[in-house]
């Protein structure tokens, strides 16, 4: 343990210079910081997002619906650069008062229906199109069990383990150990479930897989936090099997590309407005040579 014991004050005050990744956009108050109208495309769904795990959930869901033939699931995906504070623009805050990506507007409803929180979006889309959510009571309930498991558990992975392991200005043993223990417990929960099921909620691919895969599939494949070795991810063989199977789905491969601003240029589709954009509008096509 560190010798620098922190004694909390009676009343906490905000220190803007507290350091760490994302310190420039973190603040203890809500609301818009500037006026900015969001663009609107021609499709029923307007998505404002970034290809973080939470953003990928929704682009994968929309691509899966399109793969199933639901043409009314067509969407425009607009890039929200959270590092530059786009999520605090007035138009974005009107959709999501919590200023977190993703944010979604369904213009097929009148007035347009706003959606915030990725789990809410998955459930809304599944119910709207009657897809990727079992109709029988038992299957539906089991799927929702795991959807809400992800929403409740992943803050321990992202805001807990990910922050202290990868983003905090200094590394301390106690918080890293505390959250590593919890993340490994979560991986064990998934591994035991997948030992007897092809997919998270049973033998059928559902919104539970779409919610959980972008976080835990990425974690065991070392795509977030570079912590796979630290967490002994190779020991979770059933999670690895499931993660590899989901990753092969064409809709998943497309969904991962949307609103992506890092990695190989041919896998970055910063905005998506038509299915042909995956062939014609990736970053290597727009900026030959791979310039950012």
């Amino acid at each position: 343990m560190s010798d620098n014991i922190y004694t909390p004050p009676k009343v906490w005050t905000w220190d803007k210079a507290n350091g760490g990744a994302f310190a420039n956009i973190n603040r203890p108050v809500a609301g818009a910081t500037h006026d900015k109208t969001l663009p609107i495309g021609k499709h029923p769904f307007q998505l404002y997002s970034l290809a973080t795990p939470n953003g990928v959930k929704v682009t994968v869901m929309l691509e899966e619906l399109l793969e199933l033939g639901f043409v009314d699931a067509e969407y425009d995906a607009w890039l929200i650069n959270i590092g530059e504070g786009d999520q605090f623009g007035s138009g974005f805050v009107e959709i999501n008062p919590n200023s977190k990506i993703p944010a979604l507007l369904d213009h097929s409803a009148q007035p347009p229906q706003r959606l915030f929180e990725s789990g809410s979006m998955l459930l809304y889309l599944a119910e709207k199109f009657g897809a990727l959510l079992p109709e029988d009571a038992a299957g539906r309930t089991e799927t929702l069990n795991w959807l809400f498991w992800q929403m409740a558990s992943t803050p321990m992975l992202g805001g807990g383990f990910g922050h202290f392991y990868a983003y905090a200005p200094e590394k301390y043993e106690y918080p890293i150990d505390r959250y590593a223990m919890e993340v490994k417990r979560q991986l064990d929960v998934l591994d035991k479930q997948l030992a007897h099921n092809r997919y998270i909620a049973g033998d059928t691919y559902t919104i539970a897989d779409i919610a959980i895969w972008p976080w835990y599939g990425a974690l065991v494949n070392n795509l977030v936090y570079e912590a796979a070795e630290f967490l002994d991810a190779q020991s979770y063989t059933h999670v690895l099997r499931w993660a590899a199977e989901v990753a092969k789905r064409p809709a998943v491969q497309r969904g991962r590309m949307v609103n992506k601003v890092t990695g190989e240029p041919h896998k970055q589709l910063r905005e998506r407005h038509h299915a042909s954009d995956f062939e014609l509008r990736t970053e290597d096509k727009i900026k030959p040579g791979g310039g950012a």
Side-chain angles (χ1 to χ4, degrees):
M1 294 294 292
S2 171
D3 292 333
N4 298 322
I5 303 300
Y6 172 63
T7 301
K10 289 185 177 180
V11 179
W12 181 85
T13 57
W14 181 26
D15 177 8
K16 292 184 180 181
N18 65 357
F22 312 113
N24 64 314
I25 59 171
N26 289 334
R27 57 198 182 108
V29 294
T33 61
H34 59 281
D35 290 329
K36 186 174 182 180
T37 301
L38 292 175
I40 300 174
K42 64 180 181 179
H43 295 306
F45 291 97
Q46 299 296 302
L47 177 67
Y48 306 93
S49 191
L50 183 69
T52 66
N54 285 333
V56 167
K57 294 179 203 173
V58 182
T59 51
V60 166
M61 180 67 178
L62 289 165
E63 291 295 331
E64 291 282 10
L65 290 169
L66 292 170
E67 186 83 6
L68 290 170
F70 294 103
V71 296
D72 290 341
E74 268 293 355
Y75 69 105
D76 293 278
W78 305 92
L79 181 65
I80 297 295
N81 191 326
I82 61 175
E84 296 181 1
D86 291 350
Q87 69 274 32
F88 300 116
S90 56
F92 190 91
V93 174
E94 285 180 10
I95 303 175
N96 187 353
N98 198 38
S99 291
K100 303 290 184 181
I101 61 96
L104 182 66
L105 272 178
D106 178 5
H107 285 268
S108 69
Q110 292 300 324
Q113 177 64 57
R114 75 174 186 179
L115 293 116
F116 59 92
E117 291 298 329
S118 56
S120 174
M121 295 177 199
L122 297 187
L123 181 56
Y124 178 88
L125 291 168
E127 291 184 331
K128 184 179 182 74
F129 292 99
L132 301 165
L133 178 62
E135 295 181 356
D136 64 289
R140 175 187 171 86
T141 301
E142 183 69 2
T143 300
L144 295 182
N145 285 341
W146 289 102
L147 174 65
F148 289 110
W149 176 90
Q150 185 274 309
M151 301 298 290
S153 298
T154 303
M156 300 288 280
L157 166 57
F161 175 77
H163 174 78
F164 286 104
Y165 184 81
Y167 300 136
E170 297 175 328
K171 288 182 167 54
Y172 292 101
E173 182 178 2
Y174 174 76
I176 291 175
D177 279 357
R178 170 67 183 88
Y179 288 113
M181 177 178 65
E182 172 60 17
V183 170
K184 286 182 69 64
R185 189 193 69 80
Q186 293 175 4
L187 287 170
D188 197 43
V189 169
L190 291 174
D191 205 58
K192 287 180 166 59
Q193 175 69 5
L194 289 164
H196 304 288
N197 298 277
R198 180 179 178 184
Y199 295 109
I200 293 294
D203 292 331
T204 304
Y205 178 78
T206 69
I207 56 174
D209 301 283
I210 296 173
I212 294 169
W213 182 85
W215 281 104
Y216 295 88
L219 182 68
V220 296
N221 284 303
N222 210 39
L223 299 177
V224 292
Y225 313 134
E226 297 184 352
E229 182 179 8
F230 178 76
L231 295 169
D232 190 26
Q234 65 179 354
S235 66
Y236 302 101
T237 56
H238 304 295
V239 177
L240 286 166
R241 183 271 305 162
W242 162 82
E245 182 172 354
V246 173
K248 293 177 182 177
R249 298 178 68 88
V252 171
Q253 294 174 8
R254 293 195 302 271
R256 292 178 64 188
M257 296 171 62
V258 180
N259 297 142
K260 188 172 175 60
V261 298
T262 60
E264 299 171 278
H266 72 282
K267 295 182 179 179
Q268 295 181 37
L269 183 60
R270 298 194 174 191
E271 289 188 0
R272 188 265 192 216
H273 304 291
H274 190 274
S276 64
D277 289 348
F278 292 101
E279 297 295 330
L280 303 176
R281 300 290 297 172
T282 52
E283 201 66 8
D284 60 312
K285 304 291 196 316
I286 294 175
K287 298 180 179 179

